[in-house]
Amino acid sequence: MNSKKSICLYFQVHQPCRLRLYRFFDIGKDSHYYDDFANRTILKRVAQKCYLPANEMLLELIKKYNGKFKVAFSISGSVLEQFDRYQPEVIDSFRKLAETGCVEFLSETYYHSLASLISPSEFKRQVQLHRSAIENYFGHTPKTFRNTELIYSDAIGSMVYEMGFKAMLTEGAKHVLGWKSPNYLYSGATAPKLSLLLKNSSLSDDIAFRFSDRSWSDWPLTGEKYLSWLKTSVQNDEIINLFMDYETFGEHQKVQSGIFDFMKYLPEVIINDGTFEFVTPAQAAKKHKPIAELDVPDPISWADEERDVTAWLGNELQNDAFHKLYDLTEKMSLLNNEALWSDFGHLQESDHFYYMCTKFFSDGAVHKYFNPYDTPYEAFINYMNVLSDFILRVNEEYSLSSVNFAAGMQKGSGKTRTGKSSASKRKTTKKEESK
């Protein structure tokens, strides 16, 4: 019997398709929504500072420790598209990691969306789209699910289990756990066979947020100090889940802070000590058994002190934009227009709603750092201008499809026409949509 405790190290990789300054007078005239310059510039910068050097570092660690060092990633479809477009060598570096057999690629929503909170059909469509993308890029069929921003509820857990996943990551939220420890596996209350891995927030955030803070009482953080915290935290428990943004390395925590040196040294300290072994989420779900069911009636996430979804849906602006977008779901399901479906997906990215957040108190600095807009109201106005144009396009395509359908029925040919021909017509007459 393996008596070693487990460490599960997971990284999120995502970059949104940022919207350009889209004015009221652009509505109905120009349907290219994205700030291509900003997206290219930021993607290339983060690739050079984080993705490429961090992937190289992890590959060296995996080789150095002969497979004893393991990590997991979830990589959104939105960032995969940008890698392909602007920095394809990042894809190659992830493929090298995939070939080691020591890296697990998790499933998530293709567009890093909040669909799980409102539209089961769109949620499932995006999960399948993402699963196919991971298989195509890395030859890896995801076994573990990680929802956008670690969002989880009993209802979401049931959907995830129905899609064939046996394990899922989420936040070890204190208001859900109560006295219980996050350092065990749990099971879903409505999906008892779904294993839940809970983020240890304190130990994860020591690296992700506090590492370079010189005012932090525990600065500087060393490998030995961190190992002592790991051992103190786990004691009679079984597993520590360290979940964080991959951009922690080189982007949020600059290379000058020593974050790369810390990460290069940490596996040596942990492996030599012998208390822990590194596992992927799928391995953790096999190795450990859930100790109790976790009852989560309301959605939780890894954001802010509240660990709920108010970072994205906490004010009227966000909810207005969110519901207007998803009101289009039924019409979209009747259309067969690739350009519209792509824009529909990118407009669902959680980042757009995050930019509208007005919670500038407990986590204000975090919200401002990631926000390209001066105010949440600017973010809202810009998004709604884009959405207004998108709604016009959807309604036009829907009308064309309805006309074609009716015409097909009248001909009595026995075959009804889909919106495909009108989609083709739209794409040839609207030059701005072929991006």
Side-chain angles (χ1 to χ4, degrees):
M1 183 178 174
N2 188 346
S3 60
K4 287 188 176 182
K5 312 285 188 181
S6 299
I7 291 180
C8 183
L9 191 58
Y10 153 79
F11 302 115
Q12 170 193 310
V13 185
H14 170 65
Q15 291 294 330
C17 283
R18 297 162 188 84
L19 303 176
R20 70 177 178 88
L21 178 60
Y22 194 89
R23 304 181 190 280
F24 175 79
F25 298 104
D26 292 326
I27 299 172
K29 295 177 181 176
D30 186 351
S31 297
H32 182 66
Y33 305 140
Y34 310 107
D35 190 336
D36 297 325
F37 177 78
N39 289 326
R40 180 176 64 250
T41 303
I42 293 171
L43 194 282
K44 283 182 167 289
R45 184 194 76 206
V46 181
Q48 295 302 320
K49 288 187 173 183
C50 170
Y51 304 138
L52 290 170
N55 280 359
E56 184 180 353
M57 172 184 67
L58 294 184
L59 187 61
E60 289 175 1
L61 289 171
I62 289 169
K63 290 177 178 177
K64 181 177 180 180
Y65 297 107
N66 297 315
K68 290 182 180 179
F69 178 69
K70 300 179 178 72
V71 296
F73 290 99
S74 66
I75 310 176
S76 73
S78 296
V79 78
L80 283 170
E81 289 180 5
Q82 293 186 59
F83 288 153
D84 258 343
R85 194 174 300 137
Y86 305 127
Q87 200 90 41
E89 56 266 45
V90 177
I91 297 284
D92 294 334
S93 67
F94 275 114
R95 283 191 179 123
K96 289 178 182 176
L97 287 172
E99 289 166 1
T100 66
C102 295
V103 176
E104 182 182 357
F105 291 91
L106 311 187
S107 183
E108 67 159 89
T109 56
Y110 186 92
Y111 294 103
H112 201 74
S113 75
L114 305 173
S116 62
L117 298 172
I118 192 169
S119 174
S121 62
E122 177 62 11
F123 177 56
K124 291 172 185 175
R125 185 188 77 86
Q126 286 194 33
V127 172
Q128 183 53 53
L129 196 63
H130 184 265
R131 179 186 282 167
S132 298
I134 297 302
E135 289 172 349
N136 291 336
Y137 277 103
F138 307 117
H140 183 107
T141 301
K143 299 176 181 176
T144 307
F145 190 77
R146 179 263 180 204
N147 198 17
T148 306
E149 311 297 347
L150 294 189
I151 291 172
Y152 176 82
S153 69
D154 294 335
I156 293 170
S158 294
M159 288 191 289
V160 168
Y161 181 72
E162 286 169 10
M163 285 187 278
F165 297 100
K166 300 295 191 293
M168 182 173 177
L169 277 55
T170 188
E171 172 66 35
K174 291 180 181 176
H175 68 275
V176 169
L177 280 172
W179 57 268
K180 296 189 285 290
S181 167
N183 302 331
Y184 290 99
L185 250 64
Y186 291 84
S187 61
T190 54
K193 293 183 179 179
L194 180 71
S195 294
L196 300 176
L197 286 80
L198 309 185
K199 173 188 168 188
N200 185 306
S201 298
S202 177
L203 288 166
S204 298
D205 293 351
D206 286 335
I207 298 174
F209 293 109
R210 290 182 280 273
F211 183 83
S212 61
D213 182 3
R214 290 177 176 245
S215 66
W216 182 31
S217 60
D218 287 302
W219 186 89
L221 183 59
T222 64
E224 287 79 8
K225 185 187 295 185
Y226 195 70
L227 173 64
S228 71
W229 294 349
L230 292 171
K231 292 168 79 169
T232 299
S233 177
V234 80
Q235 290 188 351
N236 298 320
D237 301 349
E238 296 177 350
I239 182 171
I240 295 180
N241 297 306
L242 304 175
F243 302 163
M244 62 195 81
D245 290 332
Y246 201 30
E247 295 81 11
T248 294
F249 300 97
E251 179 66 13
H252 304 163
Q253 306 294 338
K254 306 303 181 188
V255 64
Q256 297 88 343
S257 70
I259 189 70
F260 281 93
D261 295 328
F262 171 80
M263 193 64 225
K264 285 177 185 174
Y265 182 52
L266 185 62
E268 179 181 331
V269 173
I270 291 173
I271 290 169
N272 288 345
D273 175 75
T275 303
F276 297 94
E277 67 175 354
F278 288 96
V279 297
T280 63
Q283 289 173 333
K286 283 185 178 180
K287 178 181 174 183
H288 303 286
K289 294 192 181 305
I291 62 160
E293 288 186 356
L294 202 64
D295 189 14
V296 188
D298 300 311
I300 58 175
S301 78
W302 69 354
D304 297 348
E305 292 180 356
E306 295 83 3
R307 300 293 196 256
D308 56 18
V309 296
T310 54
W312 306 276
L313 298 173
N315 63 44
E316 290 183 14
L317 303 179
Q318 293 167 315
N319 280 283
D320 187 30
F322 185 70
H323 288 287
K324 274 193 170 62
L325 175 66
Y326 281 97
D327 282 346
L328 298 170
T329 305
E330 187 175 348
K331 281 184 179 177
M332 285 297 301
S333 69
L334 301 173
L335 304 181
N336 186 17
N337 183 319
E338 192 176 332
L340 282 177
W341 274 107
S342 177
D343 287 339
F344 185 53
H346 287 299
L347 288 176
Q348 292 181 58
E349 290 167 349
S350 65
D351 311 74
H352 304 309
F353 303 98
Y354 191 81
Y355 300 149
M356 303 175 201
C357 185
T358 51
K359 291 169 61 177
F360 290 106
F361 44 94
S362 60
D363 292 81
V366 176
H367 287 286
K368 284 186 90 172
Y369 177 82
F370 294 111
N371 201 331
Y373 300 94
D374 290 333
T375 69
Y377 308 101
E378 286 182 23
F380 173 74
I381 295 299
N382 201 64
Y383 184 86
M384 294 306 287
N385 285 343
V386 170
L387 186 56
S388 296
D389 183 83
F390 182 71
I391 290 171
L392 288 177
R393 291 168 59 206
V394 171
N395 287 338
E396 179 186 340
E397 183 74 8
Y398 182 74
S399 297
L400 287 170
S401 297
S402 299
V403 169
N404 289 338
F405 180 83
M409 292 292 287
Q410 285 177 354
K411 284 180 182 178
S413 62
K415 293 181 180 179
T416 58
R417 294 174 65 184
T418 68
K420 191 163 187 176
S421 59
S422 60
S424 302
K425 181 180 177 184
R426 171 78 192 185
K427 287 164 84 173
T428 56
T429 55
K430 273 257 187 189
K431 194 167 115 186
E432 71 274 8
E433 282 182 30
S434 56
K435 305 182 186 45

